[in-house]
Amino acid sequence: MQMERDVPVQAGNPDRYDVKAVEGYWQARWEADGGARVEAGERPKFYCLEQFPYPSGHLHMGHVRVYTLGDVIARFRRMNGYAVLHPMGWDAFGLPAENAAIKSGIPPRVSTMDNIAYMKRQMKEMGLSLDWSREVTTSEPEYYRFTQELFLLFYERGLAYQKEGPVNWCPSCETVLANEQVVEGACWRCDSPVTKRDLKQWYFRITQYAERLLQDLEGLDWPTEIKVQQINWIGKSVGAEVVFPVPEFDTEIRVFTTRPDTLYGATYVVLAPEHPLVERLVAGRPTAEAVRRFVAEERVRSDIERTAETSEKRAMFTGAYARHPLTGEAVPIWVANYVLMDYGTGAVMGVPAHDFRDWQVARKYGLPIKVVVTPSLPVPEDLVADREYAQAGVLVDSGPFTGMASEEAKAAIAQYLAERGLGGPRVTYRMRDWLISRQRYWGAPIPIIHCPQCGVVPVPRSDLPVLLPENATFTGRGASPLAGVESWVHTTCPRCQGPARRETDTMDTFVDSSWYFFRYTSPHETDRPFDPAQVAYWLPVDEYVGGREHAVLHLLYSRFFTKVLYDAGWVPIQEPFKRLLAQGMVVYRGAKMSKSKGNTLSPETILAEWGTDATRLFILFAAPPEKDFEWTEQGVEGAYRFLQRVWRLAMRSYPEGAGEPAQDEAVARARARAVKKVTEDLGDRRAFNTAVSALMEYTNLLYQALPQASPSVRREALETLVLLLAPMAPHLAEELWHRLGHRESVHRQPWPTYDPVWLETPEVEIAVQVNGKVRARVMVPKEAEADALIDLVRSDERVQAAIAGKTVVKAVAVPGRLVSLVVQ
């Protein structure tokens, strides 16, 4: 890339460079010269990707950090000979734009596109080496038509289905609320108490992939904590299903337990408030109204509130009984707040002697507590007096299984149930199917038509995209704004050509972000989501950079999508992200930045005051990328001063003529150490903070040694400094590279190498002991033999002072390590 210019940005100022002028000039030049555009080719590829932002209006310091980290990685890999794909786009659908439309009347697309334009300008001011020719916006029809096509793929493969599920409902606004719109149990708009209502909604069958999602984590180069979060979210449990018959209603209650060894201790059965059997059990009983009120009260509480260990455990007896599958005893059926309908079967067996929550409920409501597992025999009298006994042990009062150890009994009881058609061994997962329906406008419309004759009919691919209507009204009341656009809702059934209605739900925005990394490989495809050949070249993503807050949902859904596409033969990979860098938060005044705490910082203000390079350098230097770091004015000022120091080092005048051999050698050794350290730190170690430290150390040595070094050594040393600095401070590096006489961009240069010979140390530091105590540390030739070492250390002033007036009676030398003197 030729990057000539006639006049430097600023001429004749070796003491200080004009940060704004330099950075503004090179940002304009990079954009004019095509930026970071890349095509598939013969070079090894590297796909570097940061999680794309929601266009909220302004970048925050968290954005600045994540995009700085990604840009350093991309620039480093580019200089190491890789074809680097480093794209950017916008996760543009979402609730905030719709809320803004309700408040201000500005259509969501207008506010979204305005925000994108503003944030894109901010990104360009950061000097990011992004391939803007691949920009995608998930709210544009050319993108969401393929989101809709992927929905159809899932539908055809039996992975998209519709069922009734609970939603947040504001009775005053008569509308569905997202979880984010429920504030302390009240509607965000009118403060009315929020209730629950069952609506038919669309789901993706992610549970079908639970085991693969779990097993394939092992091969990923991801932080352990992120893997653990996904493992816990998937929540694999091995146990048994147990069937409790309910003879009165000719039905049954199925529960899952990881402790079938405690089955003989089950003294009641518990249903979730939302369980469909509850109403049937209480109808016509004296308890009916009280149970219905209880159910209504608990349904409006969040799952977290209901299941928290500190929450009050509330329960009510339905008046009905089930039959214990092994003993035949009647066990009461209760409904309790700590049981969730979407976890397991929505029912559990109450074993108060061996489960803490069950113990709490039994003590509170006077239910029987029966010990069936004990740590020792005889059973300690106070075993469950103060709380449950939840450990393994020996079974007691358990019929034919009495005397068995817990682990043995688990398998035996599960098998016994299976033989009698009352359950059996089972594996379950905590993860539920993915609810993708949103009763919102600003999302990708679900491509389904409801026909009174044909039922549910998918929109033909040839009719995609199903466009969002532009004449929706945003009131914040009633059904989704889409449902109010009659001309859009009423359509023709593609099968029978009769009158039909469109699905008015839109898709969860996580659907949009579950495949965008494929679209970047071929963003201008018009008849398919992506070009399989481009996907085969670029995927998987080699380095994915983003926040820990996406550890579960986005990352898990993206993995799920990739596996579905692999099974459909659309992509050749089963995992989308080879390596994950989950960066820490930016902290200011001791707390995470937030508007509510009044401790936010404007990136624009910081960049204007200190410049992009200084901001980037401080972000890299302040802490390892995976750790939180505290933003300080002193820190960014220090980075600014260092860059000015590098400028002065490169621009100063040096004497002509031959240099001193000792200084040339010192520079060569320092150069080799710096190249080795920065290469390792920016590469696999990703220790950007120590890479900056290495550059500072190298710069300090050059200040001392360059005036006495020969011109060729001096030039190589300065060029190396600029090359090593380039990924981290790209503007200053580009300016200095051209001032050193080069015409091509520094970012297109090969990464510097070094001769390992210069890493060999000619001297080594050894300890000198006198009568067992270390009295000095002395630099000696690395190859010095024992006798020579003893003579060398005895000539050291500190050693002479330690042995003055005494006689050395013994001297022992261990070459390369120490000399020990015994004196009297």
Side-chain angles (χ1 to χ4, degrees):
M1 179 189 295
Q2 297 290 325
M3 304 188 74
E4 299 179 56
R5 68 178 183 204
D6 298 323
V7 182
V9 170
Q10 55 174 120
N13 189 351
D15 295 325
R16 180 176 295 272
Y17 77 102
D18 185 330
V19 172
K20 289 183 181 179
V22 167
E23 294 183 352
Y25 176 86
W26 286 114
Q27 287 165 14
R29 285 300 307 271
W30 292 333
E31 184 170 4
D33 292 330
R37 290 188 182 182
V38 67
E39 300 296 336
E42 297 181 358
R43 286 183 295 163
K45 68 91 181 179
F46 193 91
Y47 190 170
C48 179
L49 183 63
E50 301 95 81
Q51 293 169 0
F52 64 169
Y54 174 76
S56 58
H58 296 79
L59 295 179
H60 55 66
M61 289 307 297
H63 289 126
V64 176
R65 189 183 194 194
V66 69
Y67 300 137
T68 293
L69 295 173
D71 194 57
V72 170
I73 294 168
R75 290 181 183 277
F76 172 74
R77 293 293 177 178
R78 207 174 280 124
M79 294 176 73
N80 276 272
Y82 289 88
V84 175
L85 176 57
H86 189 212
M88 183 53 66
W90 311 96
D91 190 10
F93 276 137
L95 190 60
E98 191 162 339
N99 286 344
I102 295 171
K103 292 179 179 179
S104 65
I106 301 174
R109 187 177 186 276
V110 173
S111 61
T112 297
M113 298 310 290
D114 286 348
N115 290 345
I116 286 174
Y118 191 91
M119 293 173 70
K120 186 174 181 179
R121 179 179 64 77
Q122 287 183 298
M123 286 188 180
K124 290 185 176 181
E125 289 174 355
M126 289 176 61
L128 303 174
S129 60
L130 295 166
D131 185 350
W132 286 108
S133 71
R134 297 174 182 266
E135 181 181 8
V136 301
T137 302
T138 62
S139 60
E140 290 298 279
E142 56 265 28
Y143 185 92
Y144 71 74
R145 67 161 294 179
F146 296 118
T147 301
Q148 293 171 341
E149 183 171 336
L150 292 174
F151 175 92
L152 295 179
L153 174 71
F154 280 54
Y155 183 79
E156 292 160 359
R157 298 180 70 83
L159 296 172
Y161 67 95
Q162 196 177 28
K163 72 170 184 178
E164 282 205 343
V167 296
N168 300 311
W169 178 260
C170 175
S172 175
C173 297
E174 296 182 330
T175 190
V176 172
L177 301 177
N179 288 334
E180 301 93 327
Q181 294 176 312
V182 180
V183 182
E184 296 182 355
C187 173
W188 69 286
R189 191 166 184 270
C190 68
D191 290 328
S192 297
V194 173
T195 63
K196 293 281 187 178
R197 174 177 285 192
D198 288 330
L199 288 181
K200 265 198 165 183
Q201 302 188 88
W202 286 92
Y203 293 80
F204 281 161
R205 210 180 299 274
I206 191 174
T207 51
Q208 188 169 311
Y209 284 76
E211 189 62 27
R212 285 170 64 183
L213 289 167
L214 194 62
Q215 295 300 325
D216 290 352
L217 280 170
E218 187 174 342
L220 299 179
D221 185 5
W222 287 17
T224 300
E225 64 184 277
I226 304 296
K227 290 185 178 182
V228 168
Q229 287 185 58
Q230 291 212 1
I231 290 169
N232 292 339
W233 183 268
I234 295 169
K236 182 177 182 179
S237 296
V238 178
E241 182 178 65
V242 183
V243 176
F244 285 81
V246 187
E248 181 184 356
F249 295 91
D250 192 25
T251 188
E252 59 190 24
I253 297 172
R254 293 177 176 265
V255 306
F256 172 80
T257 178
T258 59
R259 294 292 306 272
D261 56 317
T262 67
L263 179 53
Y264 280 86
T267 59
Y268 61 99
V269 175
V270 190
L271 301 179
E274 302 87 354
H275 200 290
L277 190 57
V278 172
E279 178 57 33
R280 188 176 168 194
L281 295 178
V282 303
R285 298 184 189 276
T287 57
E289 286 307 312
V291 171
R292 287 172 184 143
R293 285 195 300 271
F294 173 81
V295 167
E297 290 169 2
E298 291 300 335
R299 288 193 62 171
V300 300
R301 300 176 68 204
S302 71
D303 291 353
I304 294 175
E305 286 180 289
R306 283 167 50 181
T307 58
E309 199 149 315
T310 55
S311 295
E312 180 189 4
K313 303 300 177 283
R314 300 176 67 223
M316 289 198 73
F317 178 40
T318 64
Y321 290 83
R323 188 175 67 230
H324 195 291
L326 299 185
T327 69
E329 297 173 351
V331 292
I333 303 172
W334 286 64
V335 57
N337 63 350
Y338 65 90
V339 182
L340 303 178
M341 188 60 220
D342 61 355
Y343 182 66
T345 63
V348 301
M349 62 183 195
V351 187
H354 306 292
D355 179 271
F356 181 58
R357 292 182 306 179
D358 296 343
W359 181 87
Q360 288 178 300
V361 170
R363 290 292 294 267
K364 182 175 181 178
Y365 295 102
L367 295 169
I369 300 176
K370 181 182 177 183
V371 174
V372 293
V373 177
T374 178
S376 60
L377 293 171
V379 179
E381 290 185 8
D382 60 348
L383 181 62
V384 293
D386 296 323
R387 66 173 299 157
E388 89 294 356
Y389 175 72
Q391 306 305 311
V394 179
L395 270 64
V396 294
D397 294 333
S398 296
F401 308 100
T402 298
M404 280 189 182
S406 288
E407 288 305 313
E408 180 187 5
K410 286 180 182 179
I413 292 176
Q415 185 60 36
Y416 187 83
L417 292 168
E419 292 168 355
R420 286 155 180 77
L422 294 168
R426 188 177 170 191
V427 174
T428 66
Y429 301 89
R430 179 181 178 274
M431 179 174 65
R432 300 292 88 202
D433 280 340
W434 176 8
L435 170 59
I436 67 158
S437 278
R438 296 294 181 268
Q439 291 72 38
R440 301 286 119 203
Y441 169 85
W442 195 231
I446 294 176
I448 290 291
I449 291 171
H450 298 280
C451 174
Q453 301 300 321
C454 305
V456 175
V457 181
V459 174
R461 281 178 167 77
S462 58
D463 291 346
L464 298 180
V466 177
L467 293 169
L468 286 167
E470 296 183 1
N471 57 337
T473 302
F474 301 92
T475 65
R477 296 180 178 274
S480 162
L482 287 177
V485 186
E486 293 292 327
S487 60
W488 183 86
V489 173
H490 293 287
T491 187
T492 301
C493 173
R495 285 185 186 164
C496 70
Q497 306 306 310
R501 293 176 63 87
R502 292 192 186 279
E503 173 63 61
T504 57
D505 283 357
T506 55
M507 289 185 241
D508 178 9
T509 57
F510 278 116
V511 177
D512 310 316
S513 60
S514 292
W515 72 278
Y516 78 108
F517 41 89
F518 289 115
R519 183 67 177 171
Y520 279 140
T521 65
S522 41
H524 306 297
E525 286 284 323
T526 57
D527 58 351
R528 53 187 176 176
F530 43 76
D531 179 350
Q534 292 294 316
V535 168
Y537 178 81
W538 288 112
L539 270 291
V541 173
D542 295 282
E543 189 93 37
Y544 197 36
V545 187
R548 285 184 172 79
E549 65 273 18
H550 299 297
V552 173
L553 298 180
H554 165 60
L555 292 174
L556 191 68
Y557 295 156
S558 297
R559 296 180 62 222
F560 167 51
F561 255 65
T562 301
K563 292 181 188 303
V564 173
L565 293 175
Y566 173 83
D567 290 349
W570 287 28
V571 301
I573 60 168
Q574 296 197 55
E575 288 290 340
F577 313 124
K578 183 187 297 184
R579 193 172 189 181
L580 178 67
L581 174 56
Q583 93 282 354
M585 296 184 299
V586 181
V587 176
Y588 185 49
R589 296 174 182 168
K592 176 186 175 182
M593 290 188 187
S594 72
K595 291 180 180 178
S596 62
K597 294 177 181 176
N599 67 336
T600 58
L601 291 170
S602 165
E604 289 177 298
T605 301
I606 291 169
L607 295 177
E609 183 174 1
W610 300 107
T612 297
D613 284 351
T615 302
R616 287 168 61 111
L617 203 70
F618 174 53
I619 285 172
L620 297 169
F621 180 62
E626 68 278 4
K627 302 293 185 182
D628 296 348
F629 90 92
E630 176 84 24
W631 180 270
T632 66
E633 287 290 317
Q634 297 90 334
V636 70
E637 183 181 359
Y640 175 86
R641 288 200 305 266
F642 169 70
L643 293 177
Q644 293 289 355
R645 195 160 185 258
V646 170
W647 170 267
R648 291 192 294 273
L649 177 69
M651 297 300 294
R652 69 195 297 185
S653 299
Y654 292 97
E656 298 294 330
E660 298 178 8
Q663 294 300 323
D664 284 354
E665 180 178 336
V667 170
R669 293 188 183 283
R671 179 189 176 278
R673 289 194 301 271
V675 173
K676 181 177 186 297
K677 178 65 174 170
V678 175
T679 302
E680 292 173 350
D681 286 351
L682 296 189
D684 290 339
R685 292 189 65 230
R686 293 180 296 193
F688 306 119
N689 56 321
T690 55
V692 176
S693 295
L695 284 183
M696 291 176 173
E697 182 180 335
Y698 182 48
T699 301
N700 289 339
L701 184 136
L702 295 186
Y703 259 96
Q704 298 172 5
L706 285 190
Q708 290 80 43
S710 59
S712 61
V713 170
R714 183 187 306 138
R715 182 175 182 82
E716 182 184 38
L718 288 173
E719 289 184 346
T720 298
L721 175 61
V722 173
L723 290 167
L724 295 178
L725 188 65
M728 295 176 274
H731 305 85
L732 175 59
E734 189 78 278
E735 178 72 16
L736 290 177
W737 188 250
H738 282 74
R739 285 179 176 271
L740 289 172
H742 298 282
R743 297 171 61 186
E744 292 190 344
S745 172
V746 68
H747 303 292
R748 299 295 179 184
Q749 303 308 307
W751 190 251
T753 58
Y754 61 92
D755 187 339
V757 170
W758 292 116
L759 296 176
E760 297 175 4
T761 306
E763 290 187 321
V764 63
E765 183 182 72
I766 66 169
V768 182
Q769 294 180 344
V770 178
N771 288 349
K773 294 185 178 180
V774 176
R775 297 298 185 182
R777 295 187 180 277
V778 181
M779 296 300 296
V780 298
K782 191 175 183 179
E783 306 300 327
E785 296 182 354
D787 291 343
L789 281 178
I790 294 170
D791 291 340
L792 281 169
V793 302
R794 291 189 65 170
S795 64
D796 184 86
E797 293 181 357
R798 292 163 296 176
V799 176
Q800 288 178 352
I803 64 175
K806 300 172 184 175
T807 302
V808 176
V809 297
K810 186 177 182 181
V812 177
V814 181
R817 292 184 58 190
L818 64 83
V819 170
S820 177
L821 304 177
V822 179
V823 299
Q824 291 181 342

